[in-house]
Amino acid sequence: MNRRENLKLLFTGSVGTGLLLTGCSPEQQALPPKDLLSGGTIGGRTAEEKQRDQELLSDTFFTDEERKKLTTLVDVILPKDEESPAASEVGVVDFMEFMMKDQPDNQTPMRGGLMWLDFEAEEKFAKPFNELSESEVITIVDEVAWPDKAKPEYEGAVRWFNMLRNLTCSGYFSTEAGWKYIGYVGNKPNAWDGIPQQVMDKHGFKLEEKYIPLYLKPEDRGTIVQWDDEANIIG
Amino acid sequence: MSFQIKNSGEAYDVIIVGSGAGGGMASKILSEAGLSVAVVEAGGDFDPAKEEDRTQLRPPWESPRRGAGTRIRPFGDFDAAIGGWDIDGEPYTRKNGTEFDWFRSRMVGGRTNHWGRISLRFGPNDFKRASIDGLGHNWPIGYDDLKPYYDKVDKLIGVFGTKEGIYNEPDGFFLPPPKPRLHELYMKKGADKMGVPMIPARLSMLTRPINEERGVCFFCRQCNRACQVYADFSAGTCLVHPAMKKGKVDLYTHSMVRKVTTDEKGKATGVSFVSKVDMKEYKLKSRVVVLGASACESARIMMNSKSKTHPDGIGNGSGMVGRYLHDSTGTDRMAIVPSMMDRERYNEDGVGGMHMYTPWWGDNKKLDFARGYHIEYWGGMTQPAYGTGGSMNSMRQYIKDEFGEPSQNGGYGIGMKKDIRRLYGSTMGMSGRGESVPMYDNYCEIDPNTVDKYGIPVLRFNYNWTDQEVKQAKHMHDTFEEILTEAGGILLGSKPGPETKYGLLAPGRIIHEVGTTRMGDDPSTSVLNSNCQAHDCDNLFVVDAGPFVSQADKNPTWTILALAWRTSDYIVSELKKKNI
């Protein structure tokens, strides 16, 4: 039994019961959960979703050579600086590997762009992209990274680089390091009590007077609400 | 909740098909009246308080796709709603080259696991549009018939808002609203200059507790992921599960209803369904059948319930089942606000939706289209996930460099990384959601050539927008441009023109489809009477949005809930009187 069949057994038998399918001989038992690949979405998954994540995680799209090109490129797009790590350090290439399989329409344009890199590297420097120096890499990137001033013959490569840039940013800012860099401080329980006063002042805003008594007061969040017959809150 | 199969011998007082807003409300009211109830749901059970069902507060790195949408969760990998526009093995088709997209959620609570919790009452005018503009038809009931039920729904489920005294936007029993966010105040500045009203939103999240059973909102902006403390409304957490705890309610999950069964005289006797677990057919019997499977799914079941007495399907003596299908109109626009760049950071999550909105303010007598729309607002320092930092190839020009010159679009490197950080939280946008005119020629019907994987014939849609909706969408975009510009924003993208119907989204996309089993006093032009009882089968009722004669520019859920409560009261009273 191959891995895919194993996965099918593991998940399709479990609809509604949470139990693994039984009924096959001992050597054909489904994989125990501990043998599953890690990295699938956590929380509230259906059997179909678990199976799909496992299948995608067990397939490989990029070749080693392609991964090497991507590692170079994502670190050009989002390099390390004094405040934050480089894209390759936070798993951006692994994220792209998964997304190629999850949204397969991107596979051909992505692979096409990575192949074009070698063509361009040969034309300009007579060697494959993965053997270029840093400054040679930048020479090629500069041809395609600026959509408004790129030469018309690079139109297709510009489109590919836009996709690469977008995916790099998605993969970067959706990590803990990305959150820290961008300064996102939400996703935790709190009691929203409006915009901080200094921000209101800076942007020149005041709350409308008539609503001030009506807005939620955080101290009331523990008390069950009561209305009178006219729908006024009285407790 | 484990899957259960009952023998066909046992009869219930009532079978309810579907566990969304309508079915959920019916299960609560009917079981509280002492009736025995079976709820038959096509999807699985779901309880966000259980750790295994929880997606709330998960960071994007707990998803390999970082929260991007999938086929079964098109609104994101952590969205609570399971199903989507395209369900494996459950197709639907379209006719005459027309468009209709059908969003379904296969789970306890149905699409109440997805919606934005915008909870607006229909106003007095919304029930009598034909009298105002001569288009479509009036409802056989009016605001006064539903008002007591809206009041009860407010108290049972909870909705925040403010009393405004606007005639066609009736006030209710409101919880205190949250204060606005920064982008909402920018929008207000623009709206004020144009004389467009903007008031606190009306959303069904508990800013204060309403009972001991449900927790209070802790402001994570993730209502679409379902709340583990039940601080937002969904039919599973607030209606179906409480009903199961208190009353005689059996829940049948993974059960796909094929048809309503009938006796010789044409009375409903129960339902026949396919269990998705063993793919076998089962039958349940009851004195009353209540359909709450969604406007289109209930119409499908009725049209598929053919018999000698109901040759065109149960309840379909008029041929009106499936007719007058209509969805809300919708289109959107977005801008970037230079004075919101380089914002100070703070936790701006708030509730899972807007804190302010615009109710319809226009006078259609002075406009070239018949009906209005409300405006929803979005923006702010939302959770970075899949998509964040995107579009630098077109957005970077809005950042001024150190010499005050616009930056070059695109690029790479530490400078671009910094620019993404500068831009974060500086975009905002708005969406119009409007009323369309119900048309006889917009409909769903049974496709004679296609069945789903359970062998049940599927729906085929035929739907065209009229000039009324197209002109309304144009008005939306004119308004959006003015508000966004007056708010200090630079418009992004381009204004859609007539070649795209002014950006009007395809029918079905707003997920407010209604009208397929409409109510009316005349059995030859309507499916149900004003109590949502089938004209030609007195023990069959519909409690979803199928009975709506017209869909106002409001979100339909609050009216589904009020109407389902009223219908349930009527069922109890008719059973007591032995009329059914």
Side-chain angles (χ1 to χ4, degrees):
Chain A
M1 194 163 59
N2 68 27
R3 182 170 181 89
R4 188 161 294 207
E5 286 165 349
N6 240 323
L7 291 167
K8 278 228 163 69
L9 262 186
L10 178 54
F11 294 117
T12 50
S14 63
V15 173
T17 62
L19 294 173
L20 301 185
L21 188 75
T22 53
C24 44
S25 60
E27 63 274 18
Q28 283 207 328
Q29 293 270 328
L31 285 171
K34 69 177 171 53
D35 285 351
L36 292 177
L37 297 169
S38 63
T41 302
I42 303 168
R45 295 302 98 178
T46 66
E48 293 83 353
E49 286 178 303
K50 287 180 194 167
Q51 183 181 335
R52 181 172 154 76
D53 279 2
Q54 285 294 311
E55 284 179 6
L56 298 186
L57 289 163
S58 47
D59 279 348
T60 305
F61 177 72
F62 289 126
T63 63
D64 290 348
E65 206 181 299
E66 286 170 330
R67 284 186 72 98
K68 190 162 177 232
K69 288 176 184 171
L70 284 168
T71 305
T72 304
L73 290 169
V74 300
D75 286 354
V76 167
I77 293 170
L78 293 176
K80 182 181 170 69
D81 61 14
E82 65 277 11
E83 297 172 81
S84 58
S88 67
E89 295 175 76
V90 296
V92 168
V93 177
D94 291 333
F95 162 73
M96 283 189 200
E97 163 73 28
F98 187 87
M99 290 316 290
M100 288 301 115
K101 296 170 291 196
D102 198 40
Q103 299 179 358
D105 286 354
N106 289 332
Q107 288 181 1
T108 302
M110 175 58 85
R111 182 150 277 159
L114 294 171
M115 286 168 74
W116 168 84
L117 285 175
D118 280 334
F119 164 81
E120 193 67 12
E122 287 290 342
E123 289 278 302
K124 282 206 160 65
F125 307 109
K127 51 187 169 181
F129 181 82
N130 278 337
E131 290 170 25
L132 298 185
S133 70
E134 254 177 74
S135 68
E136 288 166 341
V137 165
I138 294 297
T139 303
I140 290 182
V141 167
D142 273 330
E143 300 282 11
V144 296
W146 308 96
D148 297 345
K149 58 180 184 186
K151 292 185 196 133
E153 63 261 37
Y154 289 114
E155 195 190 344
V158 166
R159 208 176 303 125
W160 160 74
F161 196 80
N162 286 343
M163 171 173 82
L164 183 72
R165 187 194 295 106
N166 284 341
L167 275 170
T168 303
C169 292
S170 270
Y172 190 86
F173 293 106
S174 58
T175 63
E176 236 170 325
W179 277 19
K180 189 166 166 244
Y181 179 81
I182 215 165
Y184 176 66
V185 290
N187 200 50
K188 48 173 84 87
N190 71 103
W192 168 257
D193 192 26
I195 302 158
Q197 192 55 50
Q198 73 275 14
V199 177
M200 292 286 279
D201 296 344
K202 184 177 176 220
H203 292 267
F205 289 123
K206 281 196 171 77
L207 292 176
E208 274 179 274
E209 283 296 329
K210 67 169 177 174
Y211 287 122
I212 292 172
L214 303 176
Y215 286 127
L216 172 68
K217 292 166 198 63
E219 62 271 22
D220 292 342
R221 292 168 74 238
T223 318
I224 291 180
V225 73
Q226 284 178 304
W227 295 275
D228 66 14
D229 290 343
E230 265 67 60
N232 300 304
I233 293 176
I234 51 167
Chain B
M1 184 74 212
S2 62
F3 182 79
Q4 42 185 320
I5 293 170
K6 293 269 162 133
N7 292 326
S8 56
E10 191 177 334
Y12 291 92
D13 291 320
V14 186
I15 293 169
I16 300 167
V17 182
S19 62
M25 181 59 87
S27 75
K28 179 169 163 62
I29 303 305
L30 296 171
S31 66
E32 282 178 357
L35 301 172
S36 65
V37 173
V39 176
V40 185
E41 164 55 48
D45 201 2
F46 174 72
D47 180 357
K50 287 186 181 154
E51 182 59 15
E52 72 257 29
D53 284 352
R54 178 179 70 84
T55 58
Q56 190 182 31
L57 292 181
R58 293 197 183 281
W61 52 89
E62 293 191 8
S63 153
R65 51 185 72 75
R66 308 289 168 82
T70 63
R71 184 178 178 190
I72 82 162
R73 298 186 205 250
F75 292 92
D77 204 21
F78 291 118
D79 198 77
I82 295 165
W85 303 101
D86 171 28
I87 298 176
D88 187 38
E90 300 186 31
Y92 54 91
T93 61
R94 303 170 184 93
K95 221 178 154 179
N96 300 326
T98 67
E99 283 185 297
F100 188 85
D101 293 330
W102 190 19
F103 185 85
R104 293 168 285 180
S105 297
R106 296 291 192 222
M107 60 199 302
V108 165
R111 294 185 293 185
T112 63
N113 292 297
H114 162 74
W115 68 303
R117 275 85 183 174
I118 301 170
S119 302
L120 305 172
R121 296 178 179 209
F122 282 20
N125 293 344
D126 295 325
F127 295 92
K128 306 293 172 195
R129 285 287 166 202
S131 301
I132 295 168
D133 59 26
L135 298 168
H137 300 89
N138 288 339
W139 290 55
I141 59 172
Y143 178 69
D144 290 341
D145 296 297
L146 271 195
K147 182 187 183 297
Y149 290 97
Y150 280 129
D151 288 350
K152 291 203 278 188
V153 171
D154 287 354
K155 290 177 185 169
L156 174 71
I157 288 171
V159 50
F160 66 72
T162 46
K163 289 164 76 172
E164 300 284 340
I166 306 170
Y167 176 71
N168 201 43
E169 312 291 330
D171 298 324
F173 287 79
F174 292 127
L175 298 167
K179 288 175 186 168
R181 304 184 182 98
L182 188 62
H183 66 275
E184 289 160 339
L185 292 181
Y186 270 94
M187 291 286 198
K188 176 87 167 53
K189 189 168 79 175
D192 279 350
K193 285 186 190 157
M194 290 186 53
V196 171
M198 214 172 140
I199 61 173
R202 296 172 173 185
L203 271 55
S204 51
M205 296 128 190
L206 303 185
T207 51
R208 289 185 57 186
I210 54 165
N211 58 35
E212 303 285 352
E213 282 75 48
R214 292 172 58 199
V216 70
C217 177
F218 53 78
F219 302 102
C220 72
R221 203 192 267 211
Q222 294 174 8
C223 301
N224 68 314
R225 300 186 184 192
C227 185
Q228 59 192 305
V229 304
Y230 308 153
D232 61 5
F233 168 68
S234 73
T237 56
C238 302
L239 298 171
V240 179
H241 288 146
M244 290 170 70
K245 265 182 210 146
K246 274 169 73 179
K248 289 178 279 184
V249 180
D250 287 338
L251 173 64
Y252 293 75
T253 54
H254 303 288
S255 301
M256 186 75 191
V257 170
R258 177 187 300 280
K259 65 187 293 186
V260 177
T261 54
T262 47
D263 64 15
E264 305 269 288
K265 292 178 192 147
K267 277 191 79 131
T269 55
V271 298
S272 188
F273 69 87
V274 182
S275 160
K276 294 183 178 180
V277 174
D278 61 9
M279 295 301 272
K280 289 196 171 111
E281 194 85 18
Y282 294 87
K283 285 192 167 58
L284 288 175
K285 293 201 176 304
S286 64
R287 296 158 70 197
V288 173
V289 173
V290 173
L291 299 178
S294 81
C296 294
E297 197 74 70
S298 289
R300 177 187 176 199
I301 292 169
M302 289 168 77
M303 290 187 280
N304 275 329
S305 301
K306 292 182 176 143
S307 61
K308 223 181 263 175
T309 33
H310 303 291
D312 298 318
I314 197 164
N316 199 20
S318 60
M320 292 295 148
V321 174
R323 294 277 172 185
Y324 298 103
L325 166 66
H326 58 297
D327 185 24
S328 296
T329 58
T331 189
D332 321 300
R333 193 74 195 269
M334 165 173 193
I336 185 163
V337 185
S339 55
M340 285 209 294
M341 289 180 200
D342 299 306
R343 293 179 61 176
E344 183 178 329
R345 304 305 200 242
Y346 53 91
N347 186 343
E348 201 193 30
D349 284 345
V351 303
M354 61 198 176
H355 292 187
M356 296 186 79
Y357 90 114
T358 290
W360 174 237
W361 70 97
D363 178 357
N364 292 96
K365 288 194 195 85
K366 296 176 185 158
L367 297 164
D368 65 349
F369 57 95
R371 301 191 183 171
Y373 57 90
H374 74 256
I375 306 174
E376 304 173 6
Y377 299 95
W378 33 275
M381 295 187 283
T382 54
Q383 185 182 103
Y386 183 83
T388 299
S391 302
M392 289 305 276
N393 51 301
S394 59
M395 297 243 304
R396 204 175 174 194
Q397 59 177 310
Y398 301 111
I399 299 184
K400 297 267 177 17
D401 65 18
E402 58 210 293
F403 310 108
E405 298 293 319
S407 301
Q408 275 290 331
N409 276 329
Y412 55 87
I414 291 176
M416 189 191 72
K417 202 178 191 179
K418 288 209 167 95
D419 281 354
I420 289 171
R421 181 161 65 180
R422 295 186 63 193
L423 278 181
Y424 173 65
S426 66
T427 54
M428 62 185 195
M430 49 208 292
S431 302
R433 299 289 182 254
E435 177 167 0
S436 62
V437 178
M439 304 295 291
Y440 177 81
D441 285 328
N442 289 339
Y443 57 87
C444 56
E445 63 183 358
I446 298 299
D447 183 334
N449 305 313
T450 314
V451 295
D452 64 14
K453 67 176 169 187
Y454 313 106
I456 305 171
V458 308
L459 286 179
R460 181 165 68 182
F461 292 92
N462 185 84
Y463 198 123
N464 290 294
W465 290 123
T466 73
D467 272 359
Q468 301 288 353
E469 291 83 36
V470 175
K471 285 176 182 160
Q472 188 192 64
K474 179 175 186 299
H475 190 271
M476 288 184 194
H477 275 286
D478 292 342
T479 308
F480 296 170
E481 288 206 341
E482 288 186 63
I483 294 181
L484 289 168
T485 307
E486 294 287 353
I490 301 167
L491 296 162
L492 296 175
S494 55
K495 189 177 187 173
E499 68 289 348
T500 62
K501 299 189 176 80
Y502 301 96
L504 183 58
L505 294 170
R509 276 279 146 184
I510 309 304
I511 322 181
H512 292 169
E513 71 280 2
V514 310
T516 49
T517 60
R518 66 178 196 164
M519 57 160 80
D521 292 328
D522 180 352
S524 71
T525 58
S526 58
V527 177
L528 311 168
N529 65 22
S530 60
N531 291 305
C532 297
Q533 179 180 36
H535 284 303
D536 69 10
C537 180
D538 65 6
N539 65 341
L540 178 70
F541 297 82
V542 184
V543 293
D544 48 39
F548 287 30
V549 178
S550 57
Q551 156 62 358
D553 69 72
K554 323 285 171 66
N555 305 56
T557 306
W558 228 239
T559 302
I560 295 174
L561 290 164
L563 207 53
W565 196 327
R566 180 172 174 271
T567 303
S568 301
D569 277 358
Y570 179 75
I571 293 171
V572 172
S573 129
E574 288 295 283
L575 281 172
K576 270 192 194 140
K577 290 184 205 153
K578 302 205 188 314
N579 286 344
I580 47 177

